[in-house]
Amino acid sequence: MPDLRSLSDGIYGDELDRRIGAAADAIRTRLTPHGDLAVPRFVAVLGSGLGGVVELLDPDPRIVIPYGEIPGVPVVEVAGHAGQLVAGRVAGTPAIVLSGRAHAYEGYSHREATLLLRAVLDLGADTVLLTNAAGGLNPAFDAGDVMLITDHINLSGENPLLGPNIDRLGPRFPPMTDAYDPALRDAALEAAGRTGVELRQGVYVMLSGPAYETRAEMRMLRQLGADAVGMSTAHEAIVARHAGRRLLAFSLITNTATGEEEEGANHEEVIEMGRVGAARLVTVLGDLLPRLA
Ligand code: HPA
């Protein structure tokens, strides 16, 4: 029977399931000699400039696996992304940090871009932490702010669950209400309070990029109810919730994107202001993560 699906890369259904399994097996093989590291309790995905989160792992052991050594996983190319999996422990609890992510704007489908995260979810990881760099649509936000994501709008034009459902991973029609776990959000706000970091809160909208938004698009996104705009995260949030995992996510506001700026965003500014926010976020996570363990 000819396959009439329009998913042109052929990576869906049984083939996607096989690739997720193969990537999970490769990671498991590397981590099994290190005992419980092969069964992580949580996974963190790091956006641009957030490599410092790796330092929240206990110094020893840290097992580094470059993405290029995991079969079927896109190799990350964009500046500011390391492209490696780091396994370790946070206050004794096994965790995996994905330092760098593949983006749809590089030409990957959402199915490919989320393949590595799904492989890690296959190993375990009941809690997923997502981070990104984003433009601030909310006029109250400044570059350098950290926003706790309360909800998202997926305007990327795609969905990682397109294609036949992989039933062993989750249901065909997963609910996305309260996708960003209310109890985890409360815990994050408490951690921010204890560490004296001011957290913004708001809705993240994902576009495909890679072009930044026009002024008209920024105004439209604001009117739609979004507070921050970026090119990632929502697709990962969808696979995490499909798999029934607890989800927490943060945006580093690297630039304002209200439409009133004299000049638009540029990648250098995004990396530079990401550093400011990253230091704040690492402070909050340093308090929060050991409590989640
Ligand atoms: N728009 C989209 N993505 C981004 C931005 C932005 O202004 N800043 C950082 N990532």
Side-chain angles (χ1 to χ4, degrees), residues 121-136:
L121 297 181
D122 229 3
L123 300 181
D126 46 35
T127 303
V128 177
L129 169 67
L130 303 175
T131 64
N132 61 54

Side-chain angles (χ1 to χ4, degrees), residues 133-136 211-213 218 229-231 252 254-257 265 270:
Y212 291 117
E213 297 67 37
M218 293 179 205
V229 54
M231 307 173 190
L252 302 185
T254 55
N255 53 284
T256 62
V270 166

